[in-house]
């Protein structure tokens, strides 16, 4: 059996801001390997956990292993990639599409990290990113070079250029790129305190409230619609006018149902209650802004969007398998009725009392 002889790679080093996928495409082409799979097999990096070994990468390219350290985490599911002081989970990086700015490609020998982020749709200098070669074929991560598709012999910038508009007026993308150091920083105090991926989620959530109003569930949308919501939500957040975002949902809910619980105000508003980005995880500034905005449209102070110290009485009765009359009798017998506030015809039971009732019921 003839053992394959190790052939050192051409000196191709990772560039600043380049992801592991982009580097692999570029290195495969530079070394004339037939495919990325052949390259990984040669350096022993094709493993079940999809992890690139920095030591093997350093051996293959004659570089220091520290130059490949950040790639190792990127190729393990659910690990974090760090860039410009921000942390992105690998599932927050767009691994399905390969997109580039053709004008930047003419002057770069590497890809830019932000091209792989789903929140970015344009180059801040030249216009929209493209996922297609100028010949019309889609760019994929199986291409043998960063700047060509599998069917074109010439770099993309040597082909007839695809139609490109100038930079679009997308305030949220400018904000996002500014925090990545790729554009002039634009302050937005309410989002500045949030991790960058969460800032995008919050802007999209607020944009969804503005666009949809009240709905029991949030419909699935395509990427272009998500980008539109982020831009719309960002404008509201940048202006500090979150009350305007909640108004459509609150007005429509009142028209249909007529009552919003002061005990759990946001939990009454359909899909809004299921948006993780609004679960008061964004820090004190975000929670205070959302409380103030919702309070303005409800007409009474809201101190906590997600109060969990009380549960709806009807829900409690159903959980215990008894009627409302039986629940009220148990609350009176236990001396707990005075702890249970009411709102119109609804009763709210403290969580600790619900726990005692469950334990008594066995």
């Amino acid at each position: 059996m003839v053992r394959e002889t190790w052939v050192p790679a051409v000196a191709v080093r990772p560039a600043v801001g380049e992801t592991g996928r982009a580097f692999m495409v570029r290195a495969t082409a530079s070394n004339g390997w037939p495919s990325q799979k052949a390259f990984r097999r040669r350096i022993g990096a094709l493993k079940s956990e999809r992890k690139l070994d920095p030591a093997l990468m350093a051996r293959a390219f004659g570089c220091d292993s520290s130059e490949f350290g950040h790639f190792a985490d990127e190729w393990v599911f659910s690990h974090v990639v760090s860039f410009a002081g921000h942390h992105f989970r690998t599932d927050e990086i767009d691994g399905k599409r390969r997109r580039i700015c053709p004008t930047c490609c003419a002057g770069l020998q590497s890809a830019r990290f932000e091209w792989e982020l789903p929140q970015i749709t344009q180059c801040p200098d030249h216009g929209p990113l493209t996922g297609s070669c100028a010949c019309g074929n889609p760019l994929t991560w199986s291409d043998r070079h960063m700047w060509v598709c599998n069917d074109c012999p010439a770099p993309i910038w040597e082909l007839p250029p695809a139609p490109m508009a100038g930079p679009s007026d997308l305030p949220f993308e400018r904000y996002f790129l500014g925090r990545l150091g790729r554009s002039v920083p634009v302050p937005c105090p309410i989002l500045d305190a949030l991790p960058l991926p969460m800032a995008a989620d919050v802007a999209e959530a607020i944009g969804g409230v503005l666009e949809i109003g009240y709905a029991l569930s949030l419909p699935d949308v395509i990427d272009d619609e998500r980008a539109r919501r982020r831009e719309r939500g960002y404008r509201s957040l940048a202006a500090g006018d979150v009350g305007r975002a909640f108004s459509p949902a609150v007005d429509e809910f009142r028209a249909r149902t007529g009552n919003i619980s002061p005990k759990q105000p946001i939990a009454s508003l359909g899909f809004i209650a299921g948006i993780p980005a609004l679960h008061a995880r964004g820090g004190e500034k975000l929670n205070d802004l959302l409380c103030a905005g919702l309070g303005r449209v409800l007409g009474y102070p809201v101190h906590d969007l997600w109060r969990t110290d009380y549960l709806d009485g009807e829900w409690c009765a159903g959980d215990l398998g008894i009627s409302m009359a039986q629940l009220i009798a148990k609350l009176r017998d236990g001396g707990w009725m005075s702890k249970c506030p009411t709102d119109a015809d609804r009763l709210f039971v403290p969580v600790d009392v619900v726990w005692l009732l469950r334990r008594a019921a066995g």
Side-chain angles (χ1 to χ4, degrees):
M1 181 177 179
V2 179
R3 186 174 182 180
E4 183 179 18
T5 303
W6 172 258
V7 179
V10 174
V12 180
R13 286 174 165 78
V16 175
E18 185 173 60
T19 63
R21 280 189 299 268
F23 173 76
M24 292 291 284
V25 176
R26 186 164 60 90
T28 298
S30 298
N31 285 276
W33 284 309
S35 67
Q36 294 178 57
K37 186 175 182 179
F39 173 25
R40 290 196 216 170
R41 184 169 58 246
R42 184 183 292 270
I43 64 174
L46 190 61
K47 300 180 180 180
S48 59
E49 67 272 23
R50 300 188 296 156
K51 182 173 182 178
L52 289 176
D53 188 321
L56 288 173
M57 296 291 287
R59 174 192 170 200
F61 290 94
C63 305
D64 188 272
S65 60
S66 63
E67 296 191 53
F68 296 94
H70 72 285
F71 286 168
D73 282 344
E74 182 183 334
W75 286 75
V76 182
F77 180 75
S78 81
H79 278 223
V80 173
V81 178
S82 298
F83 178 74
H86 300 281
H87 307 293
F88 299 86
R89 298 191 314 272
T90 50
D91 59 355
E92 293 173 329
I93 299 175
D94 191 349
K96 298 178 181 178
R97 302 176 298 168
R98 185 162 83 84
R99 300 172 304 157
I100 61 174
C101 169
T103 307
C104 284
C105 289
L108 291 175
Q109 295 302 312
S110 63
R112 294 192 185 278
F113 174 76
E114 65 268 18
W115 293 351
E116 294 186 48
L117 295 175
Q119 297 88 353
I120 300 302
T121 64
Q122 68 172 10
C123 168
D125 301 318
H126 306 115
L129 302 179
T130 180
S132 300
C133 178
C135 71
N137 288 326
L139 300 174
T140 73
W141 289 112
S142 65
D143 293 335
R144 289 189 60 252
H145 199 286
M146 284 302 298
W147 318 137
V148 300
C149 72
N150 280 325
D151 295 327
C152 287
I156 193 170
W157 57 83
E158 293 182 6
L159 297 168
M164 291 288 287
S168 302
D169 180 23
L170 297 175
F172 176 76
E173 288 202 21
R174 287 204 304 270
Y175 170 80
F176 198 95
L177 288 167
R179 287 187 61 175
L180 286 175
R182 283 285 292 120
S183 184
V184 178
V186 180
C188 180
I190 203 61
L191 293 180
D192 289 345
L194 305 181
L196 193 50
M198 183 179 287
D201 290 344
V202 169
E204 184 179 330
I206 293 298
V209 177
L210 276 165
E211 183 174 295
I212 296 173
Y214 174 74
L216 290 175
S217 60
L218 184 63
D220 293 332
V221 295
I222 62 175
D223 290 332
D224 288 346
E225 291 172 328
R226 296 186 65 182
R228 186 182 65 244
R229 287 181 184 173
R230 282 194 296 269
E231 295 297 333
R232 189 172 183 180
Y234 174 77
R235 289 184 176 93
S236 178
L237 289 164
D241 190 12
V242 183
R244 184 171 62 88
F246 284 121
S247 292
V250 171
D251 292 345
E252 190 169 352
F253 181 86
R254 281 177 167 155
R256 294 187 182 193
T257 308
N259 182 53
I260 295 178
S261 163
K263 299 303 176 187
Q264 291 180 298
I266 203 170
S268 305
L269 297 179
F271 84 86
I272 300 175
I275 298 175
L278 300 185
H279 275 252
R281 295 184 304 155
E284 186 176 341
K285 289 183 179 180
L286 175 63
N287 189 61
D288 289 349
L289 180 72
L290 297 176
C291 284
L294 189 57
R296 282 198 298 273
V297 297
L298 290 175
Y300 51 77
V302 175
H303 302 293
D304 191 345
L305 294 174
W306 298 97
R307 289 187 62 172
T308 56
D309 46 349
Y310 293 94
L311 296 176
D312 182 81
E314 290 188 3
W315 184 92
C316 295
D319 183 60
L320 295 169
I322 59 178
S323 66
M324 275 297 295
Q326 290 172 314
L327 174 64
I328 291 172
K330 288 181 178 291
L331 292 171
R332 285 175 177 162
D333 292 344
W336 299 312
M337 198 65 190
S338 61
K339 296 182 178 181
C340 301
T342 59
D343 174 38
D345 59 346
R346 300 178 70 186
L347 175 73
F348 295 90
V349 184
V351 170
D352 58 339
V353 172
V354 176
W355 182 80
L356 291 172
L357 290 170
R358 285 175 180 163
R359 187 173 66 173

